[in-house]
Amino acid sequence: MKQRHHTPEQVIRKLAEGDKLLAQGKSIEEVARHLEISEQTFHRWRNQYGGMKADDAKRLKELERENTRLKKIGADQALDIDMLKELNRGNF
């Protein structure tokens, strides 16, 4: 199966469609087939995006990017501190 990358908005739209199909009595297998995703992906998306609106998903992605950026800054600072400690000891 071809690997696809869905935006959070697309995922939320597909989950809403899937919920409607489930309410009509379709099985999860049928819903996943209709959405052209695996059952595992459907469950993962429900765990991650279940109950979210499109704006919430955008904000989540923004926060994840910001968190990654801040972690990188923290790691860089730790390396700078270690380097300065080594220079202070005279170990060039």
Side-chain angles (χ1 to χ4, degrees):
M1 180 184 281
K2 181 181 174 187
Q3 185 177 12
R4 297 181 186 154
H5 295 282
H6 295 85
T7 65
E9 293 82 16
Q10 291 171 328
V11 170
I12 290 171
R13 214 173 306 121
K14 284 192 174 202
L15 284 175
E17 185 180 347
D19 288 339
K20 288 177 187 174
L21 293 171
L22 286 172
Q24 293 173 1
K26 303 228 184 222
S27 69
I28 290 181
E29 180 182 348
E30 292 170 326
V31 170
R33 193 176 315 117
H34 176 77
L35 297 176
E36 298 178 346
I37 58 174
S38 69
E39 287 183 54
Q40 180 182 4
T41 299
F42 182 76
H43 289 295
R44 184 169 33 87
W45 284 356
R46 278 183 101 180
N47 287 337
Q48 187 173 3
Y49 295 103
M52 278 191 188
K53 304 285 185 232
D55 293 339
D56 296 337
K58 284 181 185 178
R59 182 71 180 138
L60 175 65
K61 288 297 179 185
E62 289 173 9
L63 290 172
E64 288 174 347
R65 277 193 297 272
E66 179 72 9
N67 192 28
T68 301
R69 187 182 72 81
L70 292 173
K71 283 181 179 180
K72 184 179 181 300
I73 289 171
D76 289 344
Q77 286 179 338
L79 288 173
D80 289 345
I81 290 169
D82 286 344
M83 179 184 64
L84 290 171
K85 284 180 181 177
E86 287 293 320
L87 287 174
N88 192 30
R89 284 189 220 134
N91 300 334
F92 297 79

